[in-house]
Amino acid sequence: MSRGSRPGAKRRATAVARATAVLLAALAGLLTAVPAGSAAPARTDVRVVVEPDYYLTGPGQGGGTKFPVVLEAARARDVVLTVDAASLRGAVRVRAHHCPRLRGRPYVFRCRPRDVDGTDRLLPFVVGPAKGVRPGDGGTVRYTVTAAGGERTVHTSRVWAGPGSTGLRERREEPVRGVAPGGVVSFTPAVANYSGITPRRFGLALRTRGLRPLREHRNCRYSQPAERAEQRETAVGHTVYCRFEEPLRPGTARTLSEPFRFRVPERLTATAISYSLWLPGEDPAAPGPPVPGVPPRVSGSGPPVALGRAVPREGFPPHGRDSVLVSTTVDTDLQAVATPVEGRVGDVVAVELGARNAGPGDLTVLGASVAGAPEDLFYEIVPPEGTVLDPDVDPDPGAEEETSWICDDHRPGRARYVCRLPETFPAGEERTASFFFRIERRTAGAAGRVRVLSGEGADRPARDPAAGNDTAAIPLTVTGTGGTAVPEGYSGEDDSARSSRRRAAEEDASPGGSGASVVLAVGAAAAGGVLFVAGLRRRHAAIRAIRRFRAFRS
């Protein structure tokens, strides 16, 4: 037997070969394994979420309606979305928003979000009805999406154009009064179609503050307001959006099949439910494709609300949104708040005046837009004889400086001022402001007053059972003469001084003024350009108060 053919040597060679094979296989496994935390093989399927119908009945928000397109995928790469709106030519105006146009194709847009891992929301373009469009004109928008290694998918939306083409209206409802706190209030609206087209789907939006909707209809989505410890239940806003996947034919009016029910907080005095019909594309806040980072509304769990029986087409105003007043049996005791004017002749004294809500109800002013609702609340100030109330504010509506003046007259020395209370006035809180009184002479027994007012002719559901404390005296106590005291924050300027200071500031800020010249010279020297200075002017709250009070008095 030769030395090369010895059995021991052959066995050793076989063992080495097997070990080498195992080692190579293990090494190959290490080289091809996906490290922990690295990307797995990409999924290429991309889901497109769009509304099947859009209705363009007006210019929309910001001069047009945005078409949201949502892409949903798990680690899709090299994603491309092409939107073809060529069939809208002549009926719809289109301008680019998130996606550029293709060269030579003004109605075709292409977005390249590249990678989509989760949800990506795009607004390819902004649209609006073209001039001369007729109700019912429109076309079809095609959405084509591709991804690396995946198949092309196509989705479509039908666009209906024409100003005023829908004509959907809500019935005006009578106020709901005498609701017990802690109970449930029901509301059943009716809808009508005054247009010449039949929308394939529509929706109803309800908004309220304080009333908490019961989530009883599965075709409705309910808002989830964030809970804040400092916010009263009566101040929390709620929204409800319901979709109706059934046509509302022209010339018909229908009530809804089920009521909407709301839980009433214990401290609520009055609120309103506003309601409006919407079509996809009309209401920018209506439910549609999801928005990343925004919690979805919660769907109801009960039977769907649908169109119910036919009703006469009466009481359907054309203005597009209505509100119904809801008032409870809860009282609100509003009390006048005053402090004395005390000092020497010549002093200027700061005095806190206003009102207190002694409860038990929280008060919310709803305004004249809600039929039967309480008007704005005010308090009247009559200065004590021998004093002058000095607003110490700039009378110019365009004055740059902010002011907290909330009364109807900015001139000093008036015999009466009427000042606005806030729209939200919780129980147990005071709403006062600081007023400057200049003591001019000693007057025996002099006293002014503060008196809480409500809008004349307004029906105040939040009743005030203790009218005797609606007025409080402002006593005057003169402790001597030769006073020169001035409270912090008081400028002491009269109207002519303020006007002169304002004119000087405007001249200084104008392009031809001395201050502007310095700025222009410095800007030219530093940057070699021209710096234009424009004064930013803000209207202050006093003008709004004056307008509202004048409307209140008329």
Side-chain angles (χ1 to χ4, degrees), residues 327-344:
S327 62
T328 72
T329 58
V330 179
D331 294 332
T332 298
D333 182 13
L334 294 179
Q335 303 173 356
V337 175
T339 53
V341 177
E342 183 175 351
R344 297 176 297 174

Side-chain angles (χ1 to χ4, degrees), residues 303-385:
V305 60
L307 292 177
R309 59 182 177 84
V311 295
R313 287 202 309 165
E314 299 174 357
F316 291 85
H319 52 66
R321 175 178 290 186
D322 217 325
S323 298
V324 58
L325 170 70
V326 177
S327 62
T328 72
T329 58
V330 179
D331 294 332
T332 298
D333 182 13
L334 294 179
Q335 303 173 356
V337 175
T339 53
V341 177
E342 183 175 351
R344 297 176 297 174
V345 173
D347 284 347
V348 177
V349 181
V351 176
E352 291 291 320
L353 305 174
R356 176 189 302 110
N357 181 357
D362 294 339
L363 185 61
T364 300
V365 172
L366 304 176
S369 61
V370 181
E375 298 283 350
D376 287 353
L377 292 176
F378 303 90
Y379 55 96
E380 174 193 58
I381 300 174
V382 176
E385 186 179 354

Side-chain angles (χ1 to χ4, degrees), residues 83-149:
V83 184
D84 187 344
S87 68
L88 303 183
R89 186 188 301 269
V92 174
R93 297 175 289 105
V94 180
R95 59 183 174 87
H97 192 59
H98 283 174
C99 305
R101 303 176 190 266
L102 292 186
R103 185 184 300 273
R105 303 178 69 184
Y107 279 78
V108 180
F109 305 81
R110 180 159 293 165
C111 302
R112 298 183 181 273
R114 303 296 294 174
D115 299 340
V116 177
D117 189 3
T119 301
D120 197 354
R121 188 173 189 262
L122 302 172
L123 301 172
F125 50 73
V126 178
V127 300
K131 290 184 178 180
V133 67
R134 296 172 299 179
D137 287 352
T140 300
V141 177
R142 294 171 58 88
Y143 311 90
T144 304
V145 63
T146 60

